[in-house]
Amino acid sequence: MTPLVNPLVPGLYIVATPIGNLGDLTARAADVLSRADLIAAEDTRVTAGLLRHIGTKRPMTPYHDHNADAVRPGLVARMGMEAIALVSDAGTPLISDPGFKLVRDARAAGHNVVTIPGPCAAVAALTLAGLPTDRFLFAGFLPAKSVARATAIAEVAGIRATLVFYESGPRLGAMLAALAAGLGDREAAVTREITKKFEEAVTGSLSSLAARYADAPPKGEIVVVVAPPGEPAPPTADEGDAALIEALERLPASKAAGEVAKRLGLDRRALYARAMELKA
Ligand code: SAM
């Protein structure tokens, strides 16, 4: 059934929905959801509640990890004639939720793809954590098994960015301990129940947070935000000398000083003076 007024242009509409507080549904999201020909929803019962909240009823079809491959071609075929909205249970579709293949296939088929941005737990957590936000890496859910989790943590340990993880209450203590072991004892924030009644952000070192939650798994939904690695320790005098001696074997003193200054971030003039001492 097509809505009576102002049909939407056919295509795929990616619609972000609230992560707890229904007041966060944007006016544009409500408009698109009430005019879509079909809503592809992760869980149609959850989305039915949202539609009730905005006083509308639209046809829905399930689109989730278990049926996506089977139903995607049919959805893409319909997008030529109909406006199909994709929603997940909460937050932004595609972010630790199904949808990227639907966007890819819709675009490959030449359909209109439109995003209606809105709440996303990862970004909301960054705004609560009080940690640097100029560079961040969204790492989603870590694997549940300890060896795979340690491997995944090692992969991101050297990245000079704030790290953002999704996690569940029962796994939080073990996850924080694994982060402390794999990343060092960085500052972090456990953000919980964002936009809901018991929203909180608990900050501290990873080891103190791991101790706090070890035997007290919190209820609700959680995002863990971890500070970037600290600045690397400045090179010691011995390291500077070793680099200079090696460079002096290949280069004249001024060039050796210049090369080492650039590589180790040391003062060029001081290195030149030291090079002359070493040569003498
Ligand atoms: N697509 C969603 C988004 O945009 O944030 C995320 C979906 S992912 C399957 C669900 C996870 O997001 C939860 O396990 C939790 O880690 C995080 N999350 C969702 N809502 C949250 C909230 N209100 N407070 C804290 N974390 C939340």
Side-chain angles (χ1 to χ4, degrees):
M1 186 179 69
T2 307
L4 293 175
V5 285
N6 291 338
L8 291 168
V9 173
L12 175 62
Y13 294 75
I14 307 299
V15 183
T17 59
I19 56 171
N21 187 326
L22 290 177
D24 293 336
L25 186 75
T26 68
R28 192 165 164 241
D31 178 55
V32 167
L33 289 178
S34 53
R35 292 198 288 145
D37 296 304
L38 177 69
I39 299 174
E42 199 183 355
D43 183 335
T44 54
R45 286 163 307 178
V46 172
T47 302
L50 184 65
L51 297 185
R52 265 197 305 281
H53 171 72
I54 56 174
T56 192
K57 233 176 171 187
R58 304 300 312 141
M60 287 192 280
T61 190
Y63 186 82
H64 47 64
D65 283 339
H66 306 292
N67 75 347
D69 288 342
V71 304
R72 193 180 312 115
L75 286 176
V76 172
R78 290 179 67 171
M79 285 169 204
M81 301 288 291
E82 293 174 291
I84 299 190
L86 176 71
V87 296
S88 49
D89 287 352
T92 301
L94 281 80
I95 308 301
S96 285
D97 268 333
F100 92 85
K101 291 179 181 169
L102 193 61
V103 170
R104 180 192 63 190
D105 291 2
R107 184 161 294 116
H111 300 314
N112 192 27
V113 179
V114 180
T115 189
I116 292 83
C120 173
V123 173
L126 278 165
T127 67
L128 287 174
L131 293 170
T133 51
D134 51 335
R135 295 185 85 206
F136 62 87
L137 176 88
F138 172 63
F141 289 96
L142 285 168
K145 295 204 173 133
S146 59
V147 174
R149 180 171 59 202
T151 305
I153 292 170
E155 278 169 10
V156 298
I159 294 174
R160 306 199 68 76
T162 292
L163 305 173
V164 183
F165 302 93
Y166 286 164
E167 193 46 281
S168 69
R171 290 180 5 185
L172 181 66
M175 179 252 201
L176 290 166
L179 287 174
L183 301 178
D185 204 10
R186 300 187 196 173
E187 286 305 299
V190 172
T191 62
R192 199 171 68 83
E193 294 290 87
I194 302 169
T195 76
K196 303 182 199 177
K197 187 171 175 196
F198 296 108
E199 173 179 295
E200 67 173 8
V202 179
T203 58
S205 65
L206 280 170
S207 63
S208 68
L209 291 170
R212 174 181 176 138
Y213 291 111
D215 299 317
K219 290 207 169 72
E221 299 195 279
I222 293 157
V223 183
V224 175
V225 185
V226 184
E231 290 302 314
T236 62
D238 283 352
E239 284 165 345
D241 274 2
L244 206 48
I245 290 164
E246 188 281 322
L248 283 169
E249 285 170 13
R250 298 179 281 110
L251 300 167
S254 66
K255 287 210 162 132
E259 182 190 277
V260 174
K262 206 168 172 190
R263 181 148 55 88
L264 298 186
L266 295 173
D267 180 69
R268 189 174 199 270
R269 272 206 227 167
L271 283 168
Y272 180 73
R274 180 68 182 144
M276 299 316 277
E277 277 174 29
L278 289 168
K279 279 183 97 160

